[in-house]
Amino acid sequence: MSEENSKAILQGKVISPGLAEGKTFVLRNRLSQLDAPGLIEFKDIEQELEYLDDATASISQGLLFLATKVEKEMNSRLASVFEAHQLMLNDPLLKLELQAEIRENLVSASSAVKAVFLRWEKRFQMMESQIAQHKGDDMRDLSNRLSNELSGIKIHPLENIPAGCILVATRLLPSDTVHLSQHSASAVLLEYGGAGSHAALFAREMGLPCIAGIADIIKKIPTGALTLVDAHKGEAIIHPEAEDAEEFHSKVHKQQKLFAEARQKAHEQAVTQDGVAISVLANVGCRADTEKAMENGAEGIGLYRTEHAYMGRITPPSADELFDEMRDTLAPAIGKPICVRILDIGADKLLPFTGFLAESNPALGRRGIRFLREYPNLLETQLRAVLKLTSEFDISLLVPMVTLPSDMAMVKEALKRLGAELGLAVLPPLGAMIETPAAALSARRLALYADFFSFGTNDLIQYTFASDRDNAAVEQYTVNSSEVILRLLRIVHEDVPDMPLSVCGELAGGKEHIAALLGSGIRALSLASPLIPAIKEVIRGVTQVNVSEDSHLAEKMMLI
Ligand code: PEP
Ligand code: MG
């Protein structure tokens, strides 16, 4: 901003919706320059190598601790980032390069870390794929951690941000998000950050309004500027005028009122105008999520992402350990229907004990059930734990990343075998996640092995539009994806009219999609629980769910 204190309106894209007001705090770039090398003498080499080893071991331990904490308190996907960091840090090639830097250039461990990590960061940034670019961020994050450890600095730059500030940053690194949760800002404005990025995931989880895509943000916004953030419109007003503030406050007031009203009715059933009751369930990953889900009026758990139970572990849990963890997570929902998804690992969700899978296109590689077919012991442990849960909970089981009928047949077979071994008379219902176009178009054959279908629309969109859900650069391909996805939903409904259908992807949390989803045969929605009160209200306003003419008309009008 050129003129001091003059009003400016900045536009970006909504990463996490909400309204917030506060003074800005600008987080300047760290470690953008390579410091002058700290030269050492030949005799100091071993000492510096030792410092490096100690710092690496300490960070490594800290990362595992962090992964466990984040997994318990926030989100499994975010936790997996720290596990991936831990693996990167211990990569033998990286270690060799760091040691060589110290030995051959006679520099301190600290200088070696800065030089080597900057090289790796640049290598990743020069690659085209967004995943590689994310890895560049990861490298920078690790470099900061190691440098701080080596120089004894343990204070993170976000430790001292003013409470309630509007945080302004070029980008957020994965480790930043943990500090943000403890020293909370009221909103975040970023230059870079896709809807599927770590920052986005975190912001939505925390209900933190966030806008990204504001070019040169650091130059445009000073620290301490009063700012109004409307992360519904994707707009930030810096140095607002009196009328801007007035308009904004009335918006905040209206939103609070609507939310309070919806919250009051959240524990009542959601029935449409023409009398169709819709189950509104929650997506959870840990006990805190389940507790929150019950407070928000969830009628059960529509998606339990069990990856949480595997995070932060060096070895996979035993069936008993898994049972204890799942039981604890689900306890607040006892007596309500619970759908447990078996492990959806692979692609970007890695586990320390499986190591890196060398795949050039991991999202199209071994993930979900494909991965479990390769590791049948992992599948068996989960099925044993889930079968044990059925004596206390109303459980059904969901299979992720289904492509072929044989994916389902294999799980059904294993379930039958283990059920017989455990002497169970009744097995839990088995569902297929419809996340690939192939699954949607094979509904009749999948139905031979499935008792219900749940649409994972996050992945269904990604795979239908061939557009990486974590890559902001191809986001525009999925902006209007709902029409195409609804068409797939209707095909499934027409092919298997008696099959119970639910949606557990983000589409279920979008108010604008609810009427069309219900009109396409969906009778259960599972979503992030803070959205439940509002979505129940939307359902109550929907008319003529049983008449699908509207949707057929919409289909005819589509040029597809
Ligand atoms: C989905 O893909 O829509 C889904 C619910 O699964 P996840 O987001 O865990 O991949
Ligand atoms: Mg999915």
Side-chain angles (χ1 to χ4, degrees):
M1 281 200 349
S2 46
E3 295 300 314
E4 262 175 56
N5 295 350
S6 59
K7 171 178 155 181
I9 301 180
L10 302 176
Q11 296 284 349
K13 60 178 185 247
V14 177
I15 292 293
S16 169
L19 301 171
E21 174 179 11
K23 291 202 170 166
T24 52
F25 179 82
V26 181
L27 189 69
R28 307 250 155 230
N29 282 355
R30 294 152 279 159
L31 197 84
S32 49
Q33 300 287 314
L34 179 58
D35 291 348
L39 297 176
I40 58 166
E41 291 183 29
F42 191 78
K43 67 175 175 47
D44 298 325
I45 289 178
E46 289 311 314
Q47 178 69 71
E48 292 297 323
L49 290 173
E50 214 172 284
Y51 287 154
L52 182 66
D53 279 349
D54 288 351
T56 307
S58 159
I59 301 282
S60 209
Q61 215 174 28
L63 283 167
L64 274 182
F65 173 77
L66 203 57
T68 313
K69 181 171 150 62
V70 168
E71 180 267 313
K72 286 224 177 311
E73 292 174 10
M74 283 191 258
N75 183 295
S76 71
R77 238 187 263 165
L78 199 55
S80 68
V81 172
F82 297 111
E83 283 161 1
H85 279 194
Q86 202 258 353
L87 290 173
M88 279 172 158
L89 185 64
N90 290 295
D91 185 307
L93 279 181
L94 178 68
K95 194 170 175 182
L96 280 178
E97 198 170 325
L98 282 165
Q99 289 170 339
E101 186 79 17
I102 295 174
R103 282 209 179 91
E104 289 162 21
N105 293 338
L106 289 179
V107 292
S108 67
S110 184
S111 294
V113 163
K114 285 178 187 151
V116 171
F117 275 79
L118 205 60
R119 274 204 298 270
W120 279 63
E121 188 188 330
K122 293 226 160 96
R123 272 176 217 153
F124 280 125
Q125 280 173 350
M126 275 160 57
M127 294 183 199
E128 272 176 24
S129 96
Q130 191 82 7
I131 289 180
Q133 306 233 348
H134 281 317
K135 290 220 185 307
D137 281 358
D138 292 338
M139 276 298 167
R140 178 181 282 237
D141 203 0
L142 275 176
S143 173
N144 287 343
R145 279 178 190 283
L146 263 180
S147 299
N148 289 346
E149 182 75 23
L150 281 164
S151 54
I153 303 167
K154 299 245 161 69
I155 303 267
H156 188 278
L158 287 176
E159 291 279 322
N160 294 322
I161 62 168
C165 70
I166 308 288
L167 182 70
V168 177
T170 309
R171 56 160 65 84
L172 279 185
L173 300 174
S175 64
D176 293 336
T177 56
V178 177
H179 291 274
L180 256 188
S181 76
Q182 288 152 359
H183 304 270
S184 85
S186 60
V188 180
L189 303 176
L190 299 173
E191 179 156 359
Y192 302 106
S197 67
H198 302 135
L201 211 90
F202 164 81
R204 280 190 224 115
E205 194 80 8
M206 301 291 296
L208 188 65
C210 178
I211 300 174
I214 305 175
D216 288 332
I217 194 166
I218 302 281
K219 289 186 201 139
K220 284 181 183 154
I221 305 182
T223 281
L226 180 65
T227 298
L228 306 175
V229 176
D230 183 340
H232 294 293
K233 273 165 83 181
E235 182 181 279
I237 308 183
I238 323 292
H239 295 307
E241 285 162 4
E243 53 269 35
D244 298 315
E246 205 176 303
E247 194 186 320
F248 186 81
H249 293 147
S250 85
K251 248 192 263 179
V252 170
H253 183 68
K254 209 161 126 196
Q255 199 186 47
Q256 282 170 345
K257 198 161 157 265
L258 281 175
F259 190 75
E261 281 165 11
R263 188 75 198 259
Q264 263 194 342
K265 287 169 69 187
H267 293 271
E268 292 166 24
Q269 233 191 350
V271 181
T272 64
Q273 294 285 313
D274 54 339
V276 181
I278 306 297
S279 304
V280 185
L281 311 151
N283 294 349
V284 302
C286 59
R287 187 180 170 115
D289 290 349
T290 315
E291 283 165 358
K292 219 194 296 171
M294 296 302 108
E295 284 163 25
N296 282 322
E299 290 151 24
I301 306 301
L303 175 66
Y304 170 22
R305 290 180 162 110
T306 54
E307 294 80 50
H308 286 236
Y310 286 77
M311 299 299 169
R313 301 185 63 107
I314 302 288
T315 54
S318 66
D320 284 344
E321 285 171 322
L322 200 53
F323 169 77
D324 289 343
E325 168 81 32
M326 289 176 165
R327 187 175 189 238
D328 181 54
T329 296
L330 297 174
I334 198 154
K336 297 186 187 292
I338 288 165
C339 183
V340 179
R341 177 175 77 185
I342 53 176
L343 198 56
D344 184 20
I345 215 71
D348 57 335
K349 302 176 201 162
L350 294 165
L351 291 177
F353 47 85
T354 58
F356 282 115
L357 295 174
E359 291 186 311
S360 58
N361 205 342
L364 300 183
R366 287 163 286 173
R367 63 166 290 197
I369 187 59
R370 299 176 179 186
F371 183 83
L372 293 174
R373 288 181 80 156
E374 222 170 277
Y375 291 84
N377 289 346
L378 269 182
L379 175 66
E380 187 164 325
T381 311
Q382 288 167 73
L383 296 183
R384 282 184 189 281
V386 172
L387 287 173
K388 203 168 156 193
L389 283 176
T390 56
S391 65
E392 286 177 60
F393 296 89
D394 174 7
I395 297 277
S396 56
L397 199 63
L398 194 53
V399 184
M401 190 63 187
V402 170
T403 332
L404 303 174
S406 65
D407 291 335
M408 290 301 292
M410 179 259 186
V411 180
K412 198 167 176 95
E413 190 50 45
L415 201 58
K416 270 195 203 158
R417 178 172 51 79
L418 293 170
E421 197 185 294
L422 297 169
L424 294 176
V426 185
L427 293 175
L430 184 65
M433 277 193 91
I434 306 296
E435 306 190 274
T436 63
L441 300 172
S442 320
R444 285 201 192 113
R445 288 202 293 139
L446 288 180
L448 299 174
Y449 309 98
D451 303 302
F452 65 99
F453 288 162
S454 185
F455 289 90
T457 52
N458 307 336
D459 278 313
L460 188 56
I461 291 171
Q462 154 164 275
Y463 292 123
T464 304
F465 287 82
S467 175
D468 183 347
R469 64 194 259 192
D470 286 331
N471 186 345
V474 289
E475 223 170 13
Q476 80 265 29
Y477 290 96
T478 61
V479 171
N480 296 314
S481 57
S482 59
E483 284 184 357
V484 171
I485 296 303
L486 283 166
R487 191 164 193 216
L488 283 173
L489 257 66
R490 285 197 293 275
I491 289 173
V492 172
H493 184 43
E494 278 164 21
D495 281 358
V496 284
D498 296 330
M499 180 66 81
L501 301 180
S502 63
V503 171
C504 62
E506 298 258 314
L507 214 64
K511 292 181 188 177
E512 67 279 24
H513 304 307
I514 301 302
L517 287 175
L518 304 188
S520 305
I522 301 296
R523 291 294 175 267
L525 299 169
S526 190
L527 46 142
S529 79
L531 302 171
I532 287 178
I535 292 297
K536 280 196 170 182
E537 271 302 279
V538 175
I539 293 170
R540 292 181 187 120
V542 172
T543 50
Q544 295 189 307
V545 163
N546 285 319
V547 180
S548 50
E549 263 168 29
D550 285 356
S551 49
H552 288 307
L553 186 65
E555 193 174 311
K556 274 186 210 138
M557 286 163 67
M558 280 192 296
L559 299 172
I560 54 172

